Amino acid sequence: LLAGVSAKLRCGDHCTISLATDGMLTRYGLDDPHGELGGAKHATTKGHRLAQRVGLSWQPVSWSILNLGVGQTVQGVRLDQRSATGLRARRWRTRPELSALFTPLPQLRFSLIGALECHNTEAHRDTTSSTTEPPSYCEALQPTGRLGLRWQFLPDASVFANAGRYARPPSLGELYGLSAVAQGNDELEAEQGLTAEVGVDASHRWSWGGGFAQLLGFLRQADELIAYRRSSIGAIKPYNVGQARVVGAEAALGADLWRTLSARVSATWLDPRDRSEGRNTSNDLLPFRSALTIAPSLSLRSPRWKTLSLDKAQLTARYRYRSSRFAD
């Protein structure tokens, strides 16, 4: 169950304040009386997340926009098993962020984003514990950032490039388990690395609709990449890849017809490789990663309904195809 609300407020002629809150509840139940999955016979996993963000956007001059924001997220997971001690895990995450957008020329745009990732994770198996405060607030602090460039060389076409550094702590599901077939690994380290992409896109509108096309290539060099491998028959478990290199390309097409029908399709090619020193396998492909993914979708939209203040209602059908993957 996912719900959210957002608002924008004017704080001057060139100033806007944005507020957003969202919450999520999840529940997963397992009943395996004959132990066919090799794990717990009865288990229930419940998760929750509450996220809030406040942002300030300021346009000091016509060719630049500055954004300052901070987000706070609290999430938790609760795992209960019959005849076993339950598990409780919580995470606090704070992310201050500063971004800037510069348009020195009508055809040229620069973007810059910098942020600090501060998070703390706490877990215990004592179901009677009522601790509400984490032992330490910021056990990990990671700087992240991205620099982007876009040049519109034709009225309906442009080229773009981005480069940056990212960091991603393992999720609570990766640490403590998602389901009977996706186990957890509480020894996971945070993933971090460098990314780069370059691409070209084009779009055009007519009186009866519009369309777009995009083609891009990307590269990621990661340390402690979080990947999955088979731990037993029918089950997988995450692990850290010391050094990994991921190269890929993606193409996307879309069309909107008469403001009621939308069609999209994207195709992604991926080449993920394990570049860790001392690797003891001759095959350096990362497991459980499809080389090809294709995702088409078709949407039907309603017109705007002013009486109910409804901007639109939409019905969407999606299909996802992934090519074969190896387990080990």
Side-chain angles (χ1 to χ4, degrees):
L1 176 65
L2 175 66
V5 61
S6 62
K8 287 188 176 181
L9 307 173
R10 300 289 297 181
C11 54
D13 295 336
H14 305 285
C15 176
T16 303
I17 296 175
S18 60
L19 305 167
T21 301
D22 67 82
M24 183 173 68
L25 297 174
T26 63
R27 186 181 186 275
Y28 168 82
L30 169 69
D31 187 14
D32 181 26
H34 300 293
E36 297 168 296
L37 296 176
K41 295 183 179 181
H42 306 278
T44 302
T45 302
K46 297 179 181 179
H48 67 270
R49 187 192 71 195
L50 177 65
Q52 294 180 307
R53 188 182 187 280
V54 58
L56 174 66
S57 179
W58 178 47
Q59 188 173 8
V61 291
S62 59
W63 51 270
S64 70
I65 300 176
L66 302 179
N67 299 287
L68 177 64
V70 60
Q72 177 73 41
T73 304
V74 180
Q75 60 185 129
V77 64
R78 172 176 175 172
L79 174 62
D80 293 313
Q81 300 180 6
R82 293 185 186 176
S83 68
T85 303
L87 180 137
R88 309 290 184 266
R90 288 171 291 183
R91 171 172 292 167
W92 292 260
R93 176 177 176 265
T94 303
R95 177 187 167 93
E97 181 180 288
L98 176 64
S99 65
L101 180 65
F102 303 101
T103 311
L105 299 173
Q107 301 83 10
L108 191 62
R109 176 179 295 182
F110 295 94
S111 61
L112 177 64
I113 299 176
L116 286 175
E117 294 276 356
C118 174
H119 60 86
N120 175 76
T121 303
E122 178 194 27
H124 58 83
R125 293 189 176 275
D126 181 8
T127 57
T128 62
S129 173
S130 59
T131 302
T132 59
E133 295 296 332
S136 61
Y137 182 72
C138 193
E139 66 180 13
L141 184 64
Q142 290 277 6
T144 61
R146 186 173 75 245
L147 177 64
L149 168 67
R150 177 177 291 272
W151 175 45
Q152 189 170 352
F153 61 95
L154 291 175
D156 294 331
S158 59
V159 295
F160 60 90
N162 294 282
R165 180 189 186 274
Y166 80 99
R168 185 179 81 83
S171 68
L172 294 181
E174 291 168 335
L175 287 171
Y176 308 113
L178 291 169
S179 67
V181 295
Q183 302 171 356
N185 181 0
D186 57 7
E187 296 182 356
L188 286 176
E189 300 289 339
E191 175 185 334
Q192 53 188 308
L194 303 176
T195 63
E197 67 176 3
V198 60
V200 58
D201 55 17
S203 63
H204 190 75
R205 295 204 62 83
W206 298 272
S207 58
W208 46 269
F212 74 89
Q214 185 182 71
L215 177 64
L216 65 90
F218 55 88
L219 168 67
R220 176 165 51 146
Q221 297 280 1
D223 294 327
E224 305 299 339
L225 175 74
I226 298 175
Y228 279 84
R229 59 187 170 194
R230 189 162 64 177
S231 60
S232 61
I233 296 177
I236 58 176
K237 188 175 184 177
Y239 72 105
N240 286 118
V241 181
Q243 292 181 329
R245 187 270 292 153
V246 181
V247 175
E250 185 168 81
L253 297 172
D256 298 309
L257 306 177
W258 303 290
R259 298 183 179 180
T260 58
L261 188 64
S262 297
R264 303 282 189 271
V265 62
S266 65
T268 304
W269 168 77
L270 202 64
D271 183 49
R273 301 282 177 170
D274 185 349
R275 291 291 187 253
S276 304
E277 295 183 2
R279 190 186 71 252
N280 55 10
T281 57
S282 57
N283 183 10
D284 62 352
L285 276 172
L286 294 177
F288 293 104
R289 307 263 176 149
S290 298
L292 180 64
T293 302
I294 301 175
S297 68
L298 188 65
S299 299
L300 183 65
R301 266 187 220 144
S302 71
R304 187 173 184 179
W305 197 347
K306 293 183 178 180
T307 306
L308 297 180
S309 299
L310 178 69
D311 291 332
K312 68 175 179 179
Q314 182 168 297
L315 179 66
T316 301
R318 293 187 177 93
Y319 177 77
R320 189 181 186 193
Y321 165 79
R322 293 192 297 177
S323 63
S324 59
R325 300 162 289 167
F326 72 89
D328 55 30

